[in-house]
Amino acid sequence: MNNAEAVCSLVEEIRKLIYSNITPEGQCRFDPVKTRLALELVKTEIEKSMHQEAD
């Protein structure tokens, strides 16, 4: 498995974990604020590293 596949696999694991921990009523069984902050940080880091690669 190369780096891209490993990252995509991790993303899929996280997606499944999130969806499996949301109740039918739409409530999260985890802290949605902390989760969103963590995911926003990951998104920002990906965007920053893409800009660094372009330079």
Side-chain angles (χ1 to χ4, degrees):
M1 180 180 296
N2 64 34
N3 286 334
E5 291 169 332
V7 170
C8 289
S9 177
L10 182 57
V11 168
E12 185 60 24
E13 287 177 41
I14 292 167
R15 189 192 67 75
K16 288 178 183 177
L17 185 62
I18 289 171
Y19 279 105
S20 68
N21 284 287
I22 296 175
T23 67
E25 297 80 27
Q27 298 298 313
C28 299
R29 293 185 182 123
F30 51 86
D31 186 329
V33 174
K34 287 182 181 178
T35 302
R36 182 173 178 162
L37 286 172
L39 293 171
E40 289 287 344
L41 175 61
V42 170
K43 179 182 172 188
T44 299
E45 288 301 313
I46 291 169
E47 291 170 342
K48 282 181 4 184
S49 66
M50 289 184 329
H51 291 298
Q52 289 171 355
E53 290 291 321
D55 293 338

